[in-house]
Amino acid sequence: MPTEYVKRVLAACVITVLSISNTANGLAGDTKEYRIGLTSVIFADGTAFVNDWRTYLTHHLQAPVKFVQRQTYREVTDLLLAGDLDAAWLCGYLYLQHRDELELLNVPLFKGKPLYHSYLIVPSSDTKTRKLTDLKKKVFAYSDPDSHSGYRYPQLSLISAGIEPKHFFAKTFFTWSHRDVVNAVADGVAQGGAVDSYVWETLAEKDPQLSRRTRVVSKSPEYGFPPLVTQRGLAQRRADNLREALMHMSSDDMGSKVLQILNLDGFTVGNDDLYNNIADSIRIVEQGG
Amino acid sequence: MLDDISYRVKVPFTLTLVILITACVVTLALTWRAYEELREDAFHNAVEIGSVLSNSLPNAMLHDDLWGAYRLVQAAKGWQGEASSRLLVVLDKDDLIYVSNRPSELAVTTPLRSHGAELARVEVEVLRLTGNLDPRSYEHKNDQRLYVILPMLSDGVAIGTLIVGYDRSLFWPRFTSIVEKVVVSALVVTVLLLPLGWFLGNRVVSPLGQLTKCMSMVGHERPAEIVCNLRLGNDEIGRLGVSFQKMLVELEEKEQLEINMLASERLAAVGRLVAGVAHEINNPLGGMLNALNTFRHYSQTDDLGRETFSLIERGLQQIRDTVSALLVEANPRSHSLSPKDIDDIRTLLLPDVNRKSIRLVWKNEIAENIPLPSTPIRQLLINLSLNAVQASYEKGMVQCSVDSKNDILSMRVENEGPEIPKDRMMHLFEPFADGATGNGLGLWVTYQLVHLLDGNITVNSKNGKTKFKVELPIGEAM
């Protein structure tokens, strides 16, 4: 089709011109677009909230910002590793899995600490369950296979108790978001689920009707909060700019507003030590699995 | 019991019953139809859901994406207002619950039969129809829901089953509203038709009632006096009316015939008696008169004797006159009847007619001589017409007509004088009958003459007219 062909040629030209101008800008004052990947570790994924956050970052970075959202952790990680993203908000587990290629950017502060738990939840109608092993031959909801709180920690618990996780439950499934784990358990699709404490606690504040239909049975030890990470290859200046912009959020009106929506106190620098116990659990699971 | 009820009630009642039954049947049919439509709606709705889910749901099942399947089922739940009680269950290929829109009741991985008898039956139905790839509905009278079972296909192979259940109680508001409308319309139609039914029923039955009333009078009253306002026509009741009227006429005729027969038998008996007595009287009488005559010729007697003999002779003569008047005989020597004979009688009547200023209508339609003896015919016509003139009021009308048709000589004499009373009618032609005028033998003689001529005489006295009719057969030439 000639028209299609013409369109493609034109599109190619426009892209070329844009990249040339971007390169030129980058050379002048680094106004290259920041691409940040988001996963369901965060509670809110509404367009309005993302717009506010982008406005804030664009203003502080003096560069365009684009948020990229994918359904699974894995997809976002792949994009980051492929260099398509400058930074991404990932689970600590994934950060550890790709420690060689990734670098810690910021760690969010939830209730003043860069820490969170994995919650074991059951429907509120279930008043008997006291621990994960009570859910034998039940249906269990995980959030994402690459989520520490939503998959790895329950596996770790079972393995620690000497149980082979594959055949423990009657059925397991992934909801691909922590919030949907709560939904699945509240609706009774699953008789148990593993959820990020940050998500559950935030729901308890913002959507108590949903969280009230579930009961937290047990809480894991504290783990490092899912961090924002960058590719190791990212220019130091861009990483510093981004880190600074995020850290500055709590002292800015618009930034505070975004943090309020995120139900976070702010971002801190963080260090790898936060994730040591996750690294331990990876080892245990890998040995056990 | 039922037979004793009047048709005036039965027929309208039956019509009413028919209308009511029709209304009920129509109501039932429409109600049934409404129910069927609701079921069809449910089925189509389920098939629609099935077709909408037919792409995504099998895909989710193939990838064992339970949450995705649940979200699809949840989304399907929200498509219609009634959906809150619509049940969607997805069974995996082992017929265990893969997911449902009521996960808290119908737990994932459990079999349907563990959720009550109703779902156990559905499971039996699902198993029974395994291999059938068409959607089908399933219904059990005790069930809370109607079910539609839809196989979930992936590449033409069933990988699971979607069961859509519709709460029957949901149908009730729709169903009752339809039934309500149907019942109201049926009632309206019934209310409109009922008076019509009564009207038609009464219309059919009222001629029957009239007929019954008339029939019940038969036997109590003279048929001629039974006046019936019957509908005549070609339908059954009309024909019944016609037949009834005919029957009345025939009854009247029969009764008249009986009366006539009785009268003529009596008259015949009287005639025989009279003839016998006359004969017995005439013989000695003739002898006595001869003896008296002889005696008068040959004997000498004084005045007293002559006067006495004359007295005896006159007396005997009167007896002979009376007897001969009773003994009516046709004179075989009489010439045949000519038109002039009839006209002569008119001339004879005229003095009396004029005296009473009577209007005499005389119709002589005889054109030529008739082979009947003129004397007795003249005699009886004179008798009848004189009687008519005598019976007529002043300035009244008397009609006489004579004609001959089909070898019958008919004579009709009619006057407008007082009617002959019923009790006299019975003995009208008898000699010396009560109430007779003149010598009391006029009608007796007339009757005898008519019978001598093999004819018959009838009298009809009603509506202010008295009519005598004589019919005489015209035989061979005299």
Side-chain angles (χ1 to χ4, degrees), chain B residues 77-88:
Chain B
K77 184 186 163 187
W79 283 334
Q80 279 197 358
E82 300 171 352
S84 53
S85 59
R86 188 162 60 195
L87 176 72
L88 286 121

Side-chain angles (χ1 to χ4, degrees), chain B residues 99-316:
Chain B
V99 74
S100 76
N101 64 351
R102 308 258 173 90
S104 52
E105 298 160 38
L106 306 175
V108 174
T109 72
T110 55
L112 271 182
R113 60 180 169 276
S114 62
H115 301 285
E118 182 171 328
L119 286 172
R121 279 195 293 273
V122 176
E123 187 185 22
V124 169
E125 183 73 6
V126 169
L127 291 172
R128 194 175 71 77
L129 294 170
T130 302
N132 182 349
L133 300 183
D134 295 323
R136 64 267 180 183
S137 55
Y138 167 72
E139 193 180 359
H140 190 276
K141 63 180 190 305
N142 295 331
D143 284 357
Q144 185 202 343
R145 296 191 182 89
L146 287 176
Y147 293 93
V148 180
I149 299 165
L150 303 113
M152 288 279 103
L153 304 181
S154 171
D155 204 15
V157 176
I159 57 160
T161 311
L162 173 66
I163 297 166
V164 188
Y166 293 87
D167 207 321
R168 280 182 208 247
S169 64
L170 259 184
F171 292 170
W172 272 113
R174 272 177 74 184
F175 187 65
T176 48
S177 91
I178 292 170
V179 169
E180 215 168 80
K181 277 179 203 155
V182 168
V183 166
V184 166
S185 340
L187 274 181
V188 167
V189 169
T190 309
V191 164
L192 289 177
L193 283 181
L194 276 188
L196 193 70
W198 276 93
F199 171 74
L200 285 177
N202 269 317
R203 218 179 109 89
V204 167
V205 171
S206 69
L208 276 179
Q210 185 75 16
L211 197 64
T212 310
K213 205 173 111 199
C214 284
M215 274 194 163
S216 64
M217 294 200 297
V218 173
H220 300 292
E221 288 184 44
R222 287 263 317 270
E225 281 158 9
I226 298 173
V227 180
C228 281
N229 185 19
L230 291 180
R231 191 163 63 77
L232 308 179
N234 265 330
D235 61 5
E236 284 76 2
I237 289 175
R239 291 217 299 268
L240 207 56
V242 171
S243 298
F244 184 73
Q245 293 287 29
K246 209 169 130 194
M247 189 192 84
L248 279 185
V249 169
E250 279 168 5
L251 268 181
E252 170 67 13
E253 278 173 2
K254 182 168 168 275
E255 205 159 291
Q256 198 59 53
L257 203 67
E258 275 172 4
I259 289 169
N260 289 348
M261 266 175 68
L262 217 64
S264 59
E265 270 172 21
R266 198 166 53 233
L267 285 168
V270 170
R272 281 195 300 278
L273 182 69
V274 164
V277 169
H279 192 69
E280 291 306 315
I281 289 172
N282 269 347
N283 282 343
L285 197 62
M288 276 194 276
L289 279 168
N290 277 341
L292 205 58
N293 206 21
T294 311
F295 183 78
R296 260 208 318 193
H297 271 286
Y298 302 104
S299 78
Q300 304 281 309
T301 182
D302 57 6
D303 288 347
L304 182 63
R306 274 197 298 281
E307 205 174 318
T308 305
F309 283 131
S310 170
L311 192 68
I312 291 169
E313 194 180 18
R314 280 205 306 280
L316 291 171

Side-chain angles (χ1 to χ4, degrees), chain A residues 12 22 75 78 93 95 114 118 130 136 140 144 147 158 169 178 185 190-191 199 248 251 257 262 264 268 271:
Chain A
N22 269 353
E75 287 170 275
D78 288 348
Y93 165 75
Y95 164 61
S118 169
R130 291 282 167 259
K136 190 174 163 121
F140 198 84
D144 190 294
S147 160
L158 288 173
F169 296 113
H178 286 280
V185 172
Q191 281 105 46
V199 171
H248 191 254
S251 52
K257 191 180 153 199
L262 283 167
L264 291 173
T268 185
N271 61 68

Side-chain angles (χ1 to χ4, degrees), chain B residues 372-390:
Chain B
L372 279 174
S374 65
T375 312
I377 289 168
R378 278 165 60 107
Q379 174 77 51
L380 63 88
L381 189 58
I382 286 168
N383 282 0
L384 290 176
S385 52
L386 269 177
N387 277 356
V389 168
Q390 276 165 16

Side-chain angles (χ1 to χ4, degrees), chain B residues 337-347 360-370 377-378 381 398-405 409-412:
Chain B
L337 186 69
S338 69
K340 191 168 182 305
D341 289 323
I342 306 297
D343 287 335
D344 285 348
I345 294 163
R346 180 171 182 260
T347 314
L360 178 67
V361 180
W362 193 267
K363 284 185 197 162
N364 179 9
E365 291 176 2
I366 297 177
E368 53 193 12
N369 285 5
I370 289 172
I377 289 168
R378 278 165 60 107
L381 189 58
V398 170
Q399 289 188 58
C400 277
S401 64
V402 180
D403 62 58
S404 77
K405 262 183 214 159
L409 177 74
S410 303
M411 289 183 283
R412 286 183 197 79

Side-chain angles (χ1 to χ4, degrees), chain A residues 139 170-176 180 183-184 187-189 191, chain B residues 64-67 70-71 74 98-99 102-104 107-109:
Chain A
V139 178
K171 189 170 187 68
T172 60
F173 62 92
F174 295 103
T175 64
W176 310 105
D180 277 344
N183 273 318
D187 286 359
V189 180
Q191 281 105 46
Chain B
D64 198 13
D65 181 5
L66 178 65
W67 183 246
Y70 176 66
R71 298 241 287 211
Q74 283 292 93
Y98 185 74
V99 74
R102 308 258 173 90
S104 52
V108 174
T109 72

